[in-house]
């Protein structure tokens, strides 16, 4: 059996997580890793194998890769997707795929024109509990209202890219994007959005230049309405990543990627996910490369969710609802 030759761009937190999942898949060989901090590439390679580089262009030139896992911060995307596509390298890319719609569209075009397979790391879509909710929603009639929230804490220390809007895009674009994507996945595309952002709570942390709270009102194309709130100022004992959806014949409560409850007129169903969504997205992407399935989250989905979160920011800046085509 010829193994799928994988390279990594970025050797940080999420790269390590994917590498640990890939190490359990026999058809995969991690052959290289590139990080601008060479020591990070080296320690990653000591742990998961592969040759370390500090420049992904060198890695592309020197290695014959079948697939690349792109795990770099939002600000760091340049043309690593376009070059991979040109070389016929399949692309797994972490969310958010870029900080601007122009960049994201360039990536999508390159992938679609080349025919390489792409997958965006919206792992919530793989949780068994969430997949069961999607299937129930498909037979529960129209949706009325959606309530989503990402109430968490600040990522990293004051030097971390997450703290700065120009590097991370802020909590909506970088993190609550999972909830916006989940809303699209379960309810459908959004036609109009309005957002209020604030930094009214963490006033004692001046280096944090992103919002500490936000509330977004969404109108879906199918007529449903929703509200998504996010904060990075929640008490650590009360972090919440959740979504409630009221449909004609079912009320759904999603609690993270592990639990969901469905209320129907004839009873209540509790669902617990036993699967590992990160492993499943990696496995399915490998299967798609082998021609044994299709990408469930192609790069066009990454573009659409980015468009929605950027529209939310634009709405705040203009204090106007923003229409989305
Ligand atoms: N799906 C998820 O649940 C999930 C979880 C965490 C992070 N993420 C996403 O993954 C991405 C990376 O996040 P992270 O937490 O791993 O960040 P991190 O800061 O831990 O790691 C990023 C790594 O990329 C390296 N890097 C920066 N620019 C580079 C470049 N041009 N070429 C090569 N390497 C470069 C950095 O040196 C660092 O080692 C972000 O977009 C984040 O939103 C997704």
């Amino acid at each position: 059996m010829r193994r799928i030759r994988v390279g990594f761009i970025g050797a940080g937190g999420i790269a390590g997580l994917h590498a640990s999942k890939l190490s359990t898949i026999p058809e995969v060989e991690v052959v290289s890793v590139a990080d601008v901090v060479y020591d990070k590439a080296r320690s990653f390679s000591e742990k998961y194998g592969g040759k370390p580089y500090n420049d992904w262009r060198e890695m592309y030139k020197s290695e014959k890769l079948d697939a690349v896992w792109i795990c770099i911060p939002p600000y760091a995307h340049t043309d690593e997707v376009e070059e991979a596509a040109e070389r016929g390298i399949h692309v797994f890319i972490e969310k958010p795929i870029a900080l601007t719609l122009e960049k994201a569209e360039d990536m999508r075009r390159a992938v679609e024109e080349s025919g390489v397979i792409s997958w965006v790391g919206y792992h919530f879509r793989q949780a068994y509990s969430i997949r069961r909710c999607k299937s129930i929603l498909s037979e529960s009639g129209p949706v009325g209202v959606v309530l989503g929230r990402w109430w968490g804490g600040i990522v990293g220390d004051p030097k971390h890219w997450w703290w700065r809007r120009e590097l991370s895009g802020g909590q909506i674009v970088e993190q609550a994007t999972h909830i916006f994507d989940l809303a699209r996945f379960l309810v459908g595309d959004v036609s109009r959005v309005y957002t209020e952002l604030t930094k009214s709570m963490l006033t004692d942390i001046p280096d944090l230049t992103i919002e500490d709270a936000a509330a977004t009102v969404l109108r879906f194309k199918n007529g449903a309405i929703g509200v998504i709130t996010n904060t990075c100022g929640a008490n650590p004992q009360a972090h919440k990543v959740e979504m409630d959806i009221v449909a004609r014949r079912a009320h759904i409560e999603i609690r993270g990627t592990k639990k969901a409850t469905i209320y129907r007129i004839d009873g209540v169903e509790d669902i617990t996910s036993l699967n590992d969504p990160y492993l499943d997205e990696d496995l399915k992407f490998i299967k798609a490369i082998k021609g044994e399935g299709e990408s469930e989250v192609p790069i066009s989905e990454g573009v659409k969710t980015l468009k929605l979160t950027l529209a939310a920011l634009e709405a705040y800046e203009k204090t106007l609802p923003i229409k989305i085509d």
Side-chain angles (χ1 to χ4, degrees), residues 9-15 17-18 34-37 40 54-56 70-78 94-96 121-124 155 160-161 174-175 178 278 281:
I9 303 181
I14 197 68
L17 186 71
H18 283 297
D35 197 297
V36 284
V37 182
K40 291 186 86 169
N54 70 356
D55 179 356
W56 60 262
I70 298 172
C71 301
I72 54 180
Y75 70 88
H77 295 287
T78 52
E94 268 303 342
K95 40 54 61 177
Y122 283 111
H123 68 283
F124 278 70
V155 174
H160 200 285
W161 52 263
E174 199 278 340
Q175 192 176 52
H178 280 300
Y278 290 107
E281 65 183 358

Side-chain angles (χ1 to χ4, degrees), residues 21-263:
K21 305 302 169 196
L22 292 178
S23 68
T24 67
I25 307 176
E27 306 101 294
V28 171
E29 182 184 5
V30 173
V31 297
S32 56
V33 52
D35 197 297
V36 284
V37 182
Y38 184 72
D39 277 353
K40 291 186 86 169
R42 204 182 45 212
S43 49
F44 178 101
S45 79
E46 280 162 9
K47 202 160 175 194
Y48 302 108
K51 185 173 170 194
Y53 291 83
N54 70 356
D55 179 356
W56 60 262
R57 290 175 201 278
E58 275 307 310
M59 179 176 87
Y60 279 1
K61 272 190 219 141
S62 310
E63 304 287 341
K64 183 102 196 69
L65 299 177
D66 296 308
V68 63
W69 258 251
I70 298 172
C71 301
I72 54 180
Y75 70 88
H77 295 287
T78 52
D79 49 356
E80 74 288 346
V81 169
E82 293 89 325
E83 283 228 10
E86 210 169 284
R87 290 171 182 273
I89 301 170
H90 304 294
V91 172
F92 185 104
I93 183 168
E94 268 303 342
K95 40 54 61 177
I97 64 169
L99 278 185
T100 67
L101 201 53
E102 293 72 30
K103 179 78 249 173
E105 286 289 7
D106 285 349
M107 291 171 165
R108 181 190 59 74
R109 254 191 311 277
V111 163
E112 290 176 357
E113 281 167 13
S114 71
V116 296
I117 294 158
S118 59
W119 194 298
V120 186
Y122 283 111
H123 68 283
F124 278 70
R125 295 187 184 210
Q126 297 305 322
Y128 170 76
S129 50
I130 286 170
R131 294 177 85 77
R132 176 92 182 107
C133 289
K134 182 162 174 71
S135 145
I136 287 165
L137 281 169
S138 72
E139 50 198 38
S140 298
V143 171
V145 71
V146 179
L147 183 60
R149 56 177 166 172
W150 189 295
W151 289 10
I154 304 171
V155 174
D157 59 28
K159 291 202 187 76
H160 200 285
W161 52 263
W162 202 83
W163 286 50
R164 288 172 50 198
R165 178 166 307 284
E166 74 278 18
L167 301 182
S168 67
Q171 195 186 16
I172 288 182
V173 169
E174 199 278 340
Q175 192 176 52
T177 183
H178 280 300
I179 296 295
F180 286 83
D181 186 70
L182 191 57
R184 287 192 50 247
F185 179 60
L186 293 175
V187 182
D189 278 326
V190 171
S191 60
R192 194 164 63 223
V193 74
Y194 181 71
T195 296
E196 287 290 349
L197 296 188
T198 190
K199 187 169 175 233
S200 61
M201 176 176 37
L202 302 176
T203 48
D204 52 326
I205 311 181
D207 293 346
L208 188 78
T209 68
I210 65 171
E211 73 271 18
D212 63 21
T216 299
V217 176
L218 310 129
R219 184 170 186 94
F220 293 84
K221 287 187 176 161
N222 58 19
I225 53 169
V227 175
I228 294 176
T229 59
N230 59 283
T231 178
C232 57
N235 184 294
Q237 299 170 86
H239 284 184
K240 288 187 171 63
V241 176
E242 306 181 336
M243 183 168 286
D244 288 12
I245 299 174
V246 180
R248 182 72 182 91
R249 290 185 295 280
H251 175 160
I252 284 175
E253 289 178 356
I254 291 169
R255 300 293 175 258
T257 54
K258 291 287 172 216
K259 299 247 178 241
T261 305
I262 322 289
Y263 299 85

